[in-house]
Amino acid sequence: MAQNSHEVTQLLIQWSNGDKAALDKLMPLIYEELRQLARHYMNRERAGHTLQTTALVNEAYLRLINRKQVHWQNRAHFFAIAAHLMRSILVDHARSHAYAKRGGGARKIALDEALAVSQQRAADVVALD
C-alpha cells in the first residue's frame, strides 16, 4: 500500500506538471478506490436512486481531469477533492430531480390569469360558486 501511495503521489505530481501520460498510468491505480468512495456515498442515498455508482465515478473523473491549475500535493489531497466532487454531484442531482418534480421550467400562471383565459370557463366557475 505504501508503494502504491507513493506511486500515486508521484503520478499526480507529474500530471500536475503537464504530463498527460501520467494520467493514463494513474487511472488504473485509483479507479477501484474511487468506486469504493462512490459506493460509500451511494449507500447513504435513498433507495431507488437514479444515479448509479459507476455514473458517479465517471462524472467525478470528468470533473477531476478538467480541473485546471491544480497542484496535487499527494494521494490524500486527490481523494479529498474527489470526495468533495462526488458530494457536489449528488447535491446537483438531487436539486435537478426536485426541480423537475416541482414543475421544472413550466410557466407559472396566477389563478386570476387562468380564469381570464376563457370566458366560458369563467361562467362555469361562477356557476360552481
PDB file of all heavy atoms in Angstrom, residues 43-57:
ATOM      1  N   ASN A  43     -24.476   4.426  -0.855  1.00  0.00           N
ATOM      2  CA  ASN A  43     -25.140   3.666   0.214  1.00  0.00           C
ATOM      3  C   ASN A  43     -25.875   4.580   1.177  1.00  0.00           C
ATOM      4  O   ASN A  43     -26.802   4.150   1.869  1.00  0.00           O
ATOM      5  CB  ASN A  43     -24.137   2.805   0.978  1.00  0.00           C
ATOM      6  CG  ASN A  43     -23.719   1.592   0.185  1.00  0.00           C
ATOM      7  OD1 ASN A  43     -24.424   1.151  -0.717  1.00  0.00           O
ATOM      8  ND2 ASN A  43     -22.567   1.035   0.521  1.00  0.00           N
ATOM      9  N   ARG A  44     -25.491   5.833   1.241  1.00  0.00           N
ATOM     10  CA  ARG A  44     -26.131   6.797   2.128  1.00  0.00           C
ATOM     11  C   ARG A  44     -27.323   7.487   1.469  1.00  0.00           C
ATOM     12  O   ARG A  44     -28.017   8.260   2.115  1.00  0.00           O
ATOM     13  CB  ARG A  44     -25.106   7.836   2.573  1.00  0.00           C
ATOM     14  CG  ARG A  44     -23.967   7.202   3.372  1.00  0.00           C
ATOM     15  CD  ARG A  44     -22.811   8.121   3.580  1.00  0.00           C
ATOM     16  NE  ARG A  44     -23.205   9.256   4.406  1.00  0.00           N
ATOM     17  CZ  ARG A  44     -22.424  10.305   4.613  1.00  0.00           C
ATOM     18  NH1 ARG A  44     -21.237  10.363   4.056  1.00  0.00           N
ATOM     19  NH2 ARG A  44     -22.829  11.296   5.370  1.00  0.00           N
ATOM     20  N   GLU A  45     -27.534   7.232   0.179  1.00  0.00           N
ATOM     21  CA  GLU A  45     -28.651   7.837  -0.554  1.00  0.00           C
ATOM     22  C   GLU A  45     -29.912   6.993  -0.395  1.00  0.00           C
ATOM     23  O   GLU A  45     -29.864   5.859   0.055  1.00  0.00           O
ATOM     24  CB  GLU A  45     -28.298   7.962  -2.039  1.00  0.00           C
ATOM     25  CG  GLU A  45     -27.179   8.936  -2.324  1.00  0.00           C
ATOM     26  CD  GLU A  45     -27.550  10.378  -2.000  1.00  0.00           C
ATOM     27  OE1 GLU A  45     -28.651  10.813  -2.373  1.00  0.00           O
ATOM     28  OE2 GLU A  45     -26.727  11.056  -1.365  1.00  0.00           O
ATOM     29  N   ARG A  46     -31.040   7.566  -0.797  1.00  0.00           N
ATOM     30  CA  ARG A  46     -32.321   6.871  -0.693  1.00  0.00           C
ATOM     31  C   ARG A  46     -32.347   5.650  -1.615  1.00  0.00           C
ATOM     32  O   ARG A  46     -31.630   5.593  -2.617  1.00  0.00           O
ATOM     33  CB  ARG A  46     -33.454   7.832  -1.039  1.00  0.00           C
ATOM     34  CG  ARG A  46     -33.389   8.317  -2.465  1.00  0.00           C
ATOM     35  CD  ARG A  46     -34.545   9.244  -2.809  1.00  0.00           C
ATOM     36  NE  ARG A  46     -34.278  10.035  -3.980  1.00  0.00           N
ATOM     37  CZ  ARG A  46     -34.165   9.587  -5.218  1.00  0.00           C
ATOM     38  NH1 ARG A  46     -34.280   8.313  -5.452  1.00  0.00           N
ATOM     39  NH2 ARG A  46     -33.932  10.402  -6.211  1.00  0.00           N
ATOM     40  N   ALA A  47     -33.203   4.720  -1.283  1.00  0.00           N
ATOM     41  CA  ALA A  47     -33.363   3.528  -2.119  1.00  0.00           C
ATOM     42  C   ALA A  47     -33.976   3.947  -3.451  1.00  0.00           C
ATOM     43  O   ALA A  47     -34.791   4.867  -3.511  1.00  0.00           O
ATOM     44  CB  ALA A  47     -34.262   2.522  -1.421  1.00  0.00           C
ATOM     45  N   GLY A  48     -33.579   3.299  -4.523  1.00  0.00           N
ATOM     46  CA  GLY A  48     -34.119   3.608  -5.839  1.00  0.00           C
ATOM     47  C   GLY A  48     -33.532   4.856  -6.466  1.00  0.00           C
ATOM     48  O   GLY A  48     -34.123   5.429  -7.383  1.00  0.00           O
ATOM     49  N   HIS A  49     -32.385   5.273  -5.980  1.00  0.00           N
ATOM     50  CA  HIS A  49     -31.721   6.467  -6.542  1.00  0.00           C
ATOM     51  C   HIS A  49     -31.430   6.213  -8.009  1.00  0.00           C
ATOM     52  O   HIS A  49     -31.020   5.126  -8.394  1.00  0.00           O
ATOM     53  CB  HIS A  49     -30.427   6.719  -5.772  1.00  0.00           C
ATOM     54  CG  HIS A  49     -29.891   8.100  -5.923  1.00  0.00           C
ATOM     55  ND1 HIS A  49     -29.221   8.514  -7.040  1.00  0.00           N
ATOM     56  CD2 HIS A  49     -29.945   9.173  -5.099  1.00  0.00           C
ATOM     57  CE1 HIS A  49     -28.865   9.774  -6.898  1.00  0.00           C
ATOM     58  NE2 HIS A  49     -29.301  10.202  -5.726  1.00  0.00           N
ATOM     59  N   THR A  50     -31.636   7.223  -8.839  1.00  0.00           N
ATOM     60  CA  THR A  50     -31.458   7.030 -10.286  1.00  0.00           C
ATOM     61  C   THR A  50     -30.010   7.127 -10.732  1.00  0.00           C
ATOM     62  O   THR A  50     -29.687   6.719 -11.846  1.00  0.00           O
ATOM     63  CB  THR A  50     -32.296   8.064 -11.071  1.00  0.00           C
ATOM     64  OG1 THR A  50     -31.926   9.372 -10.660  1.00  0.00           O
ATOM     65  CG2 THR A  50     -33.777   7.845 -10.837  1.00  0.00           C
ATOM     66  N   LEU A  51     -29.144   7.664  -9.907  1.00  0.00           N
ATOM     67  CA  LEU A  51     -27.730   7.758 -10.248  1.00  0.00           C
ATOM     68  C   LEU A  51     -27.025   6.498  -9.764  1.00  0.00           C
ATOM     69  O   LEU A  51     -27.215   6.073  -8.622  1.00  0.00           O
ATOM     70  CB  LEU A  51     -27.114   8.997  -9.590  1.00  0.00           C
ATOM     71  CG  LEU A  51     -25.716   9.396 -10.024  1.00  0.00           C
ATOM     72  CD1 LEU A  51     -25.711   9.772 -11.506  1.00  0.00           C
ATOM     73  CD2 LEU A  51     -25.240  10.576  -9.206  1.00  0.00           C
ATOM     74  N   GLN A  52     -26.239   5.888 -10.616  1.00  0.00           N
ATOM     75  CA  GLN A  52     -25.528   4.663 -10.254  1.00  0.00           C
ATOM     76  C   GLN A  52     -24.093   4.979  -9.862  1.00  0.00           C
ATOM     77  O   GLN A  52     -23.551   6.023 -10.209  1.00  0.00           O
ATOM     78  CB  GLN A  52     -25.550   3.678 -11.419  1.00  0.00           C
ATOM     79  CG  GLN A  52     -26.941   3.217 -11.775  1.00  0.00           C
ATOM     80  CD  GLN A  52     -26.941   2.281 -12.967  1.00  0.00           C
ATOM     81  OE1 GLN A  52     -25.942   2.144 -13.672  1.00  0.00           O
ATOM     82  NE2 GLN A  52     -28.061   1.637 -13.211  1.00  0.00           N
ATOM     83  N   THR A  53     -23.489   4.044  -9.145  1.00  0.00           N
ATOM     84  CA  THR A  53     -22.121   4.209  -8.653  1.00  0.00           C
ATOM     85  C   THR A  53     -21.148   4.502  -9.797  1.00  0.00           C
ATOM     86  O   THR A  53     -20.333   5.424  -9.703  1.00  0.00           O
ATOM     87  CB  THR A  53     -21.676   2.950  -7.887  1.00  0.00           C
ATOM     88  OG1 THR A  53     -22.586   2.717  -6.826  1.00  0.00           O
ATOM     89  CG2 THR A  53     -20.283   3.100  -7.336  1.00  0.00           C
ATOM     90  N   THR A  54     -21.244   3.744 -10.863  1.00  0.00           N
ATOM     91  CA  THR A  54     -20.337   3.937 -11.999  1.00  0.00           C
ATOM     92  C   THR A  54     -20.518   5.326 -12.612  1.00  0.00           C
ATOM     93  O   THR A  54     -19.538   5.984 -12.967  1.00  0.00           O
ATOM     94  CB  THR A  54     -20.560   2.846 -13.062  1.00  0.00           C
ATOM     95  OG1 THR A  54     -20.393   1.569 -12.445  1.00  0.00           O
ATOM     96  CG2 THR A  54     -19.586   2.975 -14.217  1.00  0.00           C
ATOM     97  N   ALA A  55     -21.755   5.780 -12.714  1.00  0.00           N
ATOM     98  CA  ALA A  55     -22.009   7.113 -13.259  1.00  0.00           C
ATOM     99  C   ALA A  55     -21.413   8.184 -12.355  1.00  0.00           C
ATOM    100  O   ALA A  55     -20.874   9.184 -12.846  1.00  0.00           O
ATOM    101  CB  ALA A  55     -23.504   7.337 -13.431  1.00  0.00           C
ATOM    102  N   LEU A  56     -21.499   7.981 -11.050  1.00  0.00           N
ATOM    103  CA  LEU A  56     -20.917   8.931 -10.105  1.00  0.00           C
ATOM    104  C   LEU A  56     -19.400   8.974 -10.259  1.00  0.00           C
ATOM    105  O   LEU A  56     -18.802  10.057 -10.284  1.00  0.00           O
ATOM    106  CB  LEU A  56     -21.309   8.569  -8.674  1.00  0.00           C
ATOM    107  CG  LEU A  56     -20.804   9.488  -7.563  1.00  0.00           C
ATOM    108  CD1 LEU A  56     -21.259  10.921  -7.784  1.00  0.00           C
ATOM    109  CD2 LEU A  56     -21.289   8.972  -6.213  1.00  0.00           C
ATOM    110  N   VAL A  57     -18.768   7.820 -10.391  1.00  0.00           N
ATOM    111  CA  VAL A  57     -17.309   7.763 -10.593  1.00  0.00           C
ATOM    112  C   VAL A  57     -16.938   8.456 -11.906  1.00  0.00           C
ATOM    113  O   VAL A  57     -16.000   9.262 -11.941  1.00  0.00           O
ATOM    114  CB  VAL A  57     -16.805   6.300 -10.602  1.00  0.00           C
ATOM    115  CG1 VAL A  57     -15.347   6.219 -11.049  1.00  0.00           C
ATOM    116  CG2 VAL A  57     -16.965   5.670  -9.244  1.00  0.00           C
TER     117      VAL A  57
END
